[in-house]
């Protein structure tokens, strides 16, 4: 089978021009941060130093600063140095389009022109199709991958990318970034939440599963957003038979496991909890946990963002509460 090859060279990625453009993208919304300001004080000197270390292949990724967020799950974020984050963006700028062109249409996480709102709209479209405009019973198999980012096998990820990338120095650079993750300190498993490259790498990794679902199992109605995915059918038995095939493929090919407590097979009429909303045949409502989190965070500087969010479901009463700050 003919395979497209990544034609961008190592020099293209590490060029001063690409590093500068990566910096301009990186700095948006970050100018007030101390580490960014310090880097910017000697911007060209810092970028040239980064370029020269990459050119000589003496570059080594710095350590991370780890911190925990709750949104709503507790997650450990690993923050890289400014120089490393600029490099992550420089790599992302060159690799994104090539690998994104291979992804299925209904993969929505961290992709240009996709996102949560598009995934929610697609959920509604698929709901109508499998129920024949809500005249028949429709079933949804909703799954979540257990500890996804911590479980990505770095060697498998590189095996997926390697056949497409001719320049071995790019593979060397990707290994350096992957091996920087402090869980193991060497190529094994895990992607650091916080790296821009991790967003692309996670989609490259899960694309193997997406292609299996679409091309081998030929599932027509399938949506994936990061480690959450849903399959739709009018036939409950069919989805029950598909589930072990999904589980087996994830383990055999990607060393991943479905989360046993977050695998559900339900009718659309009973309400499907997906991406922060509970979906019913003719409407969707914000998940209770999401509402509570929103109420805690809403303020003068983010009211418009929350009002925009509420437009994507039945949030009229909530919108009024937000507008009037009766929280």
């Amino acid at each position: 089978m003919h395979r497209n090859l990544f034609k961008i060279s190592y020099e293209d990625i590490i060029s001063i021009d690409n590093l500068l453009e990566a910096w301009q993208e990186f700095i948006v919304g970050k100018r007030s941060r101390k580490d960014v300001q310090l880097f910017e004080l000697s911007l060209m000197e810092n970028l040239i130093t980064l370029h020269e270390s990459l050119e000589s292949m003496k570059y080594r990724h710095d350590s991370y600063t780890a911190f925990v967020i709750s949104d709503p799950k507790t997650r450990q974020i690993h923050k890289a140095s400014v120089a490393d984050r600029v490099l992550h963006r420089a790599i992302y700028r060159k690799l994104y389009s090539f690998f994104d062109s291979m992804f299925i249409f209904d993969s929505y996480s961290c992709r240009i022109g996709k996102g949560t709102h598009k995934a929610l709209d697609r959920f509604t479209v698929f709901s109508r199709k499998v129920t024949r405009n809500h005249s028949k019973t429709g079933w949804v198999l909703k799954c979540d991958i257990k500890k996804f980012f911590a479980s990505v096998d770095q060697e498998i990820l590189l095996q997926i990318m390697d056949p497409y990338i001719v320049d071995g120095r790019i593979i060397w650079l990707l290994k350096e970034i992957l091996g920087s993750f402090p869980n193991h300190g060497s190529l094994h498993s895990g992607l650091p939440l916080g790296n821009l490259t991790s967003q692309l790498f996670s989609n490259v990794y899960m694309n193997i599963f997406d292609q299996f679902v679409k091309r081998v199992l030929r599932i027509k109605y399938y949506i994936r957003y990061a480690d959450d995915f849903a399959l739709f059918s009018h036939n409950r038995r069919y989805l029950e038979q598909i589930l072990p095939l999904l589980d087996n493929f994830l383990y055999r090919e990607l060393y991943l496991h479905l989360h046993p407590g977050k695998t559900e097979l339900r009718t659309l009429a009973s309400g499907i909890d997906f991406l922060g909303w509970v979906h019913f045949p003719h409407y969707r409502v914000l998940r209770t946990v999401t509402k509570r989190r929103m109420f805690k965070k809403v303020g003068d500087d983010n009211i418009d963002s929350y009002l925009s969010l509420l437009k994507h479901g039945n949030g009229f009463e909530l919108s009024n509460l937000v507008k009037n700050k009766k929280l």
Side-chain angles (χ1 to χ4, degrees):
M1 183 178 72
H2 176 71
R3 187 189 295 275
N4 291 327
L5 296 177
F6 181 67
K7 296 183 172 64
I8 301 295
S9 70
Y10 182 71
E11 284 81 9
D12 292 326
I13 292 173
I14 71 165
S15 71
I16 292 292
D17 284 346
N18 190 43
L19 291 175
L20 264 173
E21 289 181 29
W23 166 260
Q24 293 299 334
E25 293 175 4
F26 165 77
I27 201 172
V28 175
K30 301 185 183 74
R31 287 189 182 274
S32 63
R33 298 179 186 175
K34 293 272 179 67
D35 56 347
V36 175
Q37 290 174 350
L38 190 61
F39 190 91
E40 192 172 23
L41 282 174
S42 305
L43 177 61
M44 287 312 300
E45 182 182 342
N46 286 329
L47 291 181
I48 290 169
T49 299
L50 176 60
H51 167 75
E52 289 176 346
S53 70
L54 290 162
E55 189 176 42
S56 63
M57 297 181 72
K58 292 178 180 176
Y59 164 80
R60 295 295 178 268
H61 197 287
D62 284 335
S63 59
Y64 293 83
T65 302
F67 58 94
V68 174
I69 63 168
S70 298
D71 194 25
K73 291 188 217 175
T74 299
R75 300 177 187 271
Q76 188 170 51
I77 305 298
H78 289 86
K79 180 182 174 183
S81 70
V82 173
D84 289 330
R85 282 182 283 159
V86 171
L87 175 59
H88 297 166
R89 187 165 287 276
I91 294 168
Y92 184 88
R93 295 184 77 253
K94 296 300 184 181
L95 265 65
Y96 173 83
S97 295
F98 177 79
F99 283 103
D100 186 76
S101 67
M102 302 178 188
F103 300 158
I104 66 168
F105 182 85
D106 288 308
S107 164
Y108 288 90
S109 176
C110 303
R111 296 182 66 194
I112 296 169
K114 300 289 184 177
T116 309
H117 297 155
K118 292 286 179 68
L120 292 173
D121 290 343
R122 193 67 161 166
F123 192 103
T124 300
V125 169
F126 285 173
S127 298
R128 287 176 180 158
K129 286 182 179 294
V130 298
T131 60
R132 296 185 183 176
N133 211 22
H134 304 303
S135 64
K136 305 284 185 182
T137 299
W139 293 87
V140 177
L141 173 62
K142 189 177 76 79
C143 303
D144 180 291
I145 294 171
K146 187 177 181 180
K147 297 181 180 177
F148 171 65
F149 276 90
S151 301
V152 169
D153 188 287
Q154 296 176 3
E155 292 182 6
I156 292 175
L157 173 62
L158 285 168
Q159 287 168 15
I160 293 168
M161 300 177 80
D162 184 76
Y164 298 98
I165 298 176
V166 177
D167 194 329
R169 293 170 298 174
I170 297 175
I171 294 295
W172 166 80
L173 182 56
L174 299 182
K175 282 184 179 180
E176 176 62 30
I177 289 170
L178 288 169
S180 69
F181 188 39
N183 264 12
H184 301 283
S186 61
L187 282 181
H188 188 208
S189 64
L191 294 176
L193 276 168
N195 280 7
L196 179 62
T197 47
S198 295
Q199 297 179 6
L200 177 60
F201 293 158
S202 64
N203 275 331
V204 169
Y205 201 73
M206 284 301 293
N207 183 55
I208 301 300
F209 178 69
D210 295 341
Q211 298 297 337
F212 171 72
V213 171
K214 297 298 290 184
R215 295 177 182 273
V216 179
L217 299 182
R218 297 189 177 277
I219 306 294
K220 190 171 183 180
Y221 304 122
Y222 164 76
I223 294 172
R224 183 179 64 79
Y225 188 97
D227 55 347
D228 292 325
F229 60 90
L231 297 84
F232 302 70
S233 177
H234 64 280
N235 187 330
R236 176 188 176 123
R237 180 66 181 148
Y238 174 68
L239 293 177
E240 286 175 337
Q241 292 171 337
I242 286 293
L243 180 57
L245 301 180
L246 302 176
D247 201 15
N248 290 339
F249 181 89
L250 282 167
Y251 179 68
R252 186 179 71 248
E253 300 295 330
L254 300 172
Y255 292 172
L256 299 175
H257 296 275
L258 292 179
H259 196 303
K262 296 182 180 179
T263 298
E264 297 181 341
L265 179 57
R266 300 165 62 98
T267 63
L268 279 158
S270 66
I272 307 295
D273 189 336
F274 188 66
L275 299 184
W277 294 82
V278 181
H279 302 254
F280 293 95
H282 300 286
Y283 63 96
R284 58 178 173 247
V285 296
L286 208 57
R287 185 195 297 163
T288 302
V289 173
T290 308
K291 282 190 282 189
R292 287 177 186 155
R293 192 166 78 250
M294 181 183 73
F295 287 172
K296 287 179 182 177
K297 292 185 175 182
V298 71
D300 290 335
D301 59 342
N302 60 12
I303 283 180
D304 288 342
S305 296
Y306 284 118
L307 290 176
S308 177
L309 167 70
L310 293 169
K311 288 178 183 177
H312 293 274
N314 288 53
F316 179 75
E317 290 182 7
L318 283 174
S319 294
N320 285 335
L321 284 172
V322 170
K323 287 175 185 176
N324 297 322
K325 297 187 187 179
K326 294 178 181 176
L327 305 175

